[in-house]
Structure formats: structure tokens, C-alpha cells
Amino acid sequence: MIKVGIIGSTGYAGAEIAKIIKNHPEAEVVWYGSRSYEGEKFSSIYKNFYELVDDDCLGDDIEKLADEVDVIFTATPQGLCSQIVNEDILKKVKIVDLSADFRIKDVNTYEKWYGLKHGSPEFIEEAVYGLCEVNRDKVKNARLVANPGCYTSCSILSIYPLAKEGLIDAKSIIVDAKSGTSGAGRGAKVANLFCEVNENIKAYGVTTHRHTPEIEEQLGYAAGEDVVINFTPHLVPMQRGILVTAYANLTKDVTYDEVKKIYDKYYKDEKFIRVLDKDVCPETRWVSGSNYVDVNFKIDERTGRIVIMGALDNLFKGAAGQAVQNMNILFGLPEDMGIDLIPGVL
């Protein structure tokens, strides 16, 4: 059995990892780390684990943890993982980091957009960006995996085939994205109170959202040139889910069948990416509670643009599910082990 430690287990993403690993046939959680709830029973924080998990929450002593487990998930705020990771730890254990600390290769870009001093820039180049469907061969031999976030996973996977094939103008991409409130984490914030969110929708981080450079960087690798996007996220009154609608100028006239062939070229063998039938738009409820990403497109012949759509569950494929998918790759397990779940309806 793969021994798992979770630092940040009482956040939404950490708890989702705990739930997945509880039913994983080849892994078990032996360390529920939580700085906020150290000494309290994990099942007293999340009562869905009552009589299923009897462990107390431990701290975030990564030095001790590295001696007891095979893989550590760091489901923590930005900045923590980069402060605690070091060479001795990486020699002992695999790390899958759910924060943004190792996603962006340019440390100056990270520090500018996140307003933090990076704690261990010497590991940035080594870290593998864990978008499984794109980088699985690199993930296999990694010590440190930078698990992508929800907005970025949905945006990149929806647009990637078109960027890779040079079918869209890399400077014309506009990404309009919506997220459920769990994407903001479990911390108490006035803006996320029920009365603030219910019956409301709002844009935030307009022109300044910190996922912008991550999307640009990864699509830039696909396109082979610098990518510049407008990225505008919105908060909607639902618990979980990401919906992306992106727009880009086409570089040539194409038919539906030509574009569909491009998506099939990259995704026909990808279990967790579903290219929907013609004219079917992705919906968050059809991916809820699952590791699936639904994508589709619509050519706008009038404007010479293409509309690209994607949906995923922000806590699953956008966080915990993808993290476990990366773990499976790291340890040579079937990629869908423990995350082969049918999406929920309600």
C-alpha cells in the first residue's frame, strides 16, 4: 500500500483527497495534517468520515512526515510548500503540491502575481506541471509535481489542441470563466458568505487574476510562441464546478469536421476528457463529483472566431482528483484507479 500524508487535510481539496484515498485500493492515508485543527479528530471536522476515519489531525512537520509516507499532498495556501520543501525531503518522498508554488517557471513572474517571495526557487525548474493528459511522461519520474488549479486545468485543456495545431491567434484569446464558491477555499471571508453569494454573480480579479500567467505559459508551450490572454473569472452561487467559455480568432477557414479531428487527435484516447457531440454545450452538473472534463467548440463563421467551452469539477479534476491521478502515474498504477467515478446529477 502507498502510504499517504496530507498537509492541509481539513481544507476542501485536502478533504476531497482524503475521501478519494479512503476508497483507493492501493493507498491509505496515515497522516492527516492540519495546522488549524491539530489534535482534533478528523471526523469531527468532516462528519461524513464519522466511524470511517478515527485519526486525529496532526501538524505539518514535513521532516517527520517524510520518514513515514511515500507521497505527500500539500493542499495548502500559496507559499507554504516552497518554504518547507528541501533536498533531504525530496530524496525520501514524492510531493504533489496543490498550490501554485511550483507551477510557474519564472520566479519573478510568480513573485509579481502572487506577491510572495519564493522559498525554494532552486526546485522550480525540476518541478513537473502535473496536467496529466499533457505531461504524463514527465510526471512518471518526477519527485515534485505542481498540480494545476481548477481554472487553469479547464482553460488549458479546452484550448490546448487548437493552440498546439496553430489554429488560433495566440494573442486573441479571451477566457470567460465561472466558479463555484468552494474554489475560494474553506477560510472565512465576508465575500463568500451565503447572503453575499446567493442570488448573485460577479466578476473578480479583472485583468489581475493570478492564474493568468499560468494559462499563458502552458498554452505558450503548446503554441510554440508567447500567448497573451484576457482572463476574467466570475463567482456564481453554486458549491462546485468550473465553466469556461473562451474565444479566439481562427488563423484559417475550417469546418466543424476539421476541428473535431484535431480534438480527437489529442483526446480520443483520454479517458477523462470527453469531446461532446456537435452543438452540445458542457454543463457543470454533468461532471460534478468526477475527474471528467467535458469540452466542445462552435465555429462562428460570421466573425472568423471560434468559441471554446469546457467544464470540470473544481474540487476533483481541478484539485484532488487530478492530484490522485498524478499519484497513480508516479507509482505506476492505472491512471484511473480510485477516481473512476460516474459524475453526479444533483
Side-chain angles (χ1 to χ4, degrees):
M1 295 288 280
I2 299 167
K3 295 188 181 301
V4 173
I6 308 172
I7 296 179
S9 65
T10 54
Y12 289 139
E16 196 80 1
I17 293 172
K19 185 170 73 171
I20 295 169
I21 298 296
K22 182 63 181 173
N23 290 315
H24 196 290
E26 296 291 339
E28 61 179 345
V29 178
V30 300
W31 184 295
Y32 295 86
S34 175
R35 183 178 292 179
S36 301
Y37 296 97
E38 186 173 356
E40 298 185 40
K41 280 195 175 300
F42 183 74
S43 61
S44 72
I45 312 303
Y46 287 99
K47 293 182 174 57
N48 53 317
F49 287 92
Y50 179 67
E51 292 189 348
L52 301 175
V53 172
D54 197 42
D55 301 63
D56 290 341
C57 293
L58 305 176
D60 55 7
D61 185 349
I62 197 169
E63 300 283 352
K64 182 179 179 183
L65 178 56
D67 290 326
E68 298 184 11
V69 301
D70 303 303
V71 60
I72 298 172
F73 294 102
T74 49
T76 55
Q78 330 300 336
L80 179 62
C81 186
S82 72
Q83 297 293 333
I84 62 178
V85 70
N86 59 52
E87 181 63 28
D88 288 340
I89 289 167
L90 290 174
K91 285 179 179 178
K92 297 177 183 178
V93 68
K94 308 278 191 182
I95 292 180
V96 179
D97 178 33
L98 279 73
S99 81
D101 285 3
F102 296 97
R103 294 177 190 163
I104 298 172
K105 291 303 181 185
D106 186 328
V107 67
N108 294 321
T109 300
Y110 169 86
E111 291 179 349
K112 173 186 175 181
W113 284 81
Y114 284 86
L116 297 169
K117 181 72 175 175
H118 201 285
S120 50
E122 65 272 22
F123 297 118
I124 291 177
E125 188 59 37
E126 174 187 346
V128 174
Y129 190 75
L131 194 59
C132 302
E133 289 75 13
V134 175
N135 290 331
R136 64 166 53 88
D137 288 341
K138 295 179 181 178
V139 171
K140 288 177 182 177
N141 298 311
R143 300 190 300 173
L144 174 59
V145 176
N147 200 67
C150 49
Y151 277 133
T152 51
S153 293
C154 197
S155 300
I156 296 164
L157 289 172
S158 299
I159 301 168
Y160 179 85
L162 304 183
K164 186 75 173 175
E165 294 293 319
L167 200 64
I168 53 176
D169 179 351
K171 302 295 194 299
S172 71
I173 301 170
I174 298 170
V175 179
D176 180 294
K178 278 85 174 175
S179 174
T181 58
S182 59
R186 195 165 182 258
K189 304 179 185 75
V190 171
N192 295 338
L193 293 173
F194 177 83
C195 289
E196 304 293 325
V197 175
N198 188 46
E199 297 295 336
N200 190 29
I201 181 171
K202 64 180 179 181
Y204 66 98
V206 180
T207 76
T208 62
H209 195 279
R210 54 197 186 182
H211 284 170
T212 303
E214 185 181 336
I215 299 169
E216 290 179 340
E217 182 174 290
Q218 294 301 319
L219 289 179
Y221 295 146
E225 61 178 303
D226 290 341
V227 169
V228 178
I229 69 170
N230 283 116
F231 173 66
T232 305
H234 300 75
L235 185 66
V236 298
M238 62 183 184
Q239 289 183 315
R240 55 202 294 164
I242 296 285
L243 182 70
V244 161
T245 308
Y247 311 85
N249 293 336
L250 289 162
T251 56
K252 63 178 182 179
D253 291 336
V254 288
T255 66
Y256 168 85
D257 289 336
E258 288 172 329
V259 178
K260 180 63 162 58
K261 280 184 180 179
I262 289 174
Y263 275 92
D264 288 343
K265 173 182 175 180
Y266 290 93
Y267 293 151
K268 67 182 176 62
D269 295 324
E270 293 295 345
K271 173 166 186 171
F272 290 123
I273 302 183
R274 304 188 298 192
V275 182
L276 302 181
D277 292 337
K278 187 176 182 181
D279 295 329
V280 177
C281 297
E283 298 182 36
T284 56
R285 66 173 175 160
W286 302 127
V287 292
S288 180
S290 82
N291 208 53
Y292 286 96
V293 185
D294 285 355
V295 299
N296 214 342
F297 63 90
K298 185 85 172 180
I299 298 167
D300 187 348
E301 296 177 356
R302 184 181 65 85
T303 61
R305 295 173 69 82
I306 187 166
V307 182
I308 309 151
M309 299 163 282
L312 58 72
D313 185 316
N314 60 292
L315 291 180
F316 218 101
K317 181 61 173 174
Q322 184 148 252
V324 174
Q325 189 177 358
N326 275 307
M327 182 196 78
N328 289 339
I329 295 171
L330 285 169
F331 290 91
L333 299 173
E335 206 163 305
D336 63 351
M337 183 175 283
I339 52 174
D340 187 12
L341 303 175
I342 297 173
V345 176
L346 299 177

